[in-house]
């Protein structure tokens, strides 16, 4: 059995660990709160980040289970630079075309569907029950929340957060660092560094 180090012992980490266990990994958690906390759900927290680096030889790969896009990006890049293998975790209960490009450190959760021609970049989260139709491109370290529906040929920029239950029609481009509010319906392109809400979407503020 291969050993997986998961960095980040929150709710997101539990989801990642559950999927990893289904995929046959032996799991240890590492978190900055150790030793104040030593369990994440059913799994042991065995050290902090420094401990993981010290014991790198004991692990076949690392997965950064941090929901915050900025922090996930920083930590995944740091661990890759240190020579760690970065694995992706794809739930057996997700549906993926055989013709999808998946980057490193990607999490795809149960009942998500990713269709033909999609590119899912490094560090992306595709959460429970989201539908990613054909030829979508999801930029690095973006988070697609539960129940999101993306039509075909949608381009999501880097470090975006698409809120729960949102919908985006076909051939739409979303700039980098965009927050899409829960339940938003996007029918026009969205520039970078904004928050959009509503049906149809409007810019709530610039960031």
């Amino acid at each position: 059995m291969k050993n997986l180090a998961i960095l980040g012992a929150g709710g997101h980490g539990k989801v990642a660990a559950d999927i990893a266990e289904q995929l046959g990994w032996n799991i240890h958690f590492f978190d900055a709160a150790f030793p104040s906390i030593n369990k994440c759900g059913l799994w042991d927290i065995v050290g902090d980040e420094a401990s993981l680096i010290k014991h790198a030889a004991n692990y076949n790969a690392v997965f950064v289970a941090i929901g915050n896009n900025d922090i996930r990006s920083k930590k995944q890049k740091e661990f890759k630079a240190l020579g760690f293998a970065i694995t992706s975790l794809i739930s057996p209960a997700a549906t993926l075309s055989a013709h999808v490009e998946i980057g490193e450190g990607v999490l795809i959760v149960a009942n998500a569907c990713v269709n033909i021609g999609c590119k899912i970049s490094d560090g992306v989260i595709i959460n429970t029950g989201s539908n990613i139709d054909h030829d979508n491109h999801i930029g690095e370290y973006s988070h697609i929340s539960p129940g999101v529906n993306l039509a075909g040929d949608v381009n999501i920029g880097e470090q975006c957060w698409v809120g729960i239950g949102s919908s985006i029609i076909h051939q739409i481009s979303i700039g980098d660092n965009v927050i899409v509010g829960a339940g938003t319906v996007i029918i026009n392109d969205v520039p970078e560094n904004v928050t959009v809400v509503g049906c149809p979407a409007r810019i709530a503020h610039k960031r």
Side-chain angles (χ1 to χ4, degrees), residues 149-174:
N149 292 298
L150 306 183
D153 293 301
V154 171
N155 190 333
I156 306 289
E158 297 181 4
Q159 296 194 36
C160 293
W161 180 17
V162 182
I164 188 169
S166 300
S167 298
I168 303 176
I169 69 167
H170 69 291
Q171 297 180 339
I172 291 295
S173 291
I174 308 294

Side-chain angles (χ1 to χ4, degrees), residues 9-185:
H12 184 57
K14 286 194 287 187
V15 173
D18 185 45
I19 293 171
E21 187 175 77
Q22 294 175 63
L23 297 173
W25 288 98
N26 180 49
I27 300 150
H28 285 150
F29 271 97
F30 294 82
D31 193 275
F34 179 86
S36 297
I37 59 170
N38 56 24
K39 294 289 285 188
C40 180
L42 303 173
W43 299 276
D44 292 328
I45 304 170
V46 299
D48 58 12
E49 184 176 329
S51 177
L52 172 53
I53 293 170
K54 181 179 179 180
H55 297 287
N58 295 335
Y59 295 95
N60 300 95
V62 66
F63 184 84
V64 180
I66 296 173
N68 181 287
N69 293 339
D70 290 336
I71 299 174
R72 185 170 69 262
S73 171
K74 178 182 176 183
K75 293 301 180 183
Q76 183 165 314
K77 290 173 182 176
E78 285 178 357
F79 275 87
K80 184 173 182 178
L82 289 169
F84 283 82
I86 307 294
T87 192
S88 290
L89 297 173
I90 300 172
S91 170
T95 301
L96 273 69
S97 166
H99 307 287
V100 170
E101 183 179 342
I102 304 291
E104 296 178 330
V106 170
L107 183 71
I108 302 181
V109 184
N111 296 324
C113 180
V114 183
N115 220 323
I116 186 170
C118 289
K119 179 180 179 181
I120 311 301
S121 303
D122 292 351
V124 165
I125 300 166
I126 299 179
N127 230 314
T128 314
S130 286
N131 294 303
I132 314 299
D133 215 326
H134 66 89
D135 301 305
N136 277 231
H137 177 201
I138 313 298
E140 291 185 349
Y141 304 100
S142 286
H143 184 166
I144 308 300
S145 297
V148 168
N149 292 298
L150 306 183
D153 293 301
V154 171
N155 190 333
I156 306 289
E158 297 181 4
Q159 296 194 36
C160 293
W161 180 17
V162 182
I164 188 169
S166 300
S167 298
I168 303 176
I169 69 167
H170 69 291
Q171 297 180 339
I172 291 295
S173 291
I174 308 294
D176 296 340
N177 195 34
V178 167
I179 294 176
V180 177
T184 296
V185 177

